[in-house]
Amino acid sequence: MIPDKLLEILKHEGVVAIATQGEEGPNLVNTWNSYVQIIGE
């Protein structure tokens, strides 16, 4: 479930940082809000 506040923020252009944690350690990437797609609920 995506919080309403995050959905509101994504309506405005800006930078998004996405962090994940894998077996080999953390990974961090940046992109623009306009490239973020939410699929499903």
Side-chain angles (χ1 to χ4, degrees), residues 12-32:
H12 306 282
E13 190 60 34
V15 178
V16 175
I18 302 169
T20 60
Q21 178 66 38
E23 291 181 13
E24 297 182 15
N27 185 38
L28 182 65
V29 297
N30 293 320
T31 190
W32 294 102

Side-chain angles (χ1 to χ4, degrees), residues 1-17:
M1 184 160 112
I2 307 296
D4 290 338
K5 186 64 174 180
L6 179 57
L7 293 174
E8 181 182 331
I9 290 169
L10 289 175
K11 291 178 183 177
H12 306 282
E13 190 60 34
V15 178
V16 175

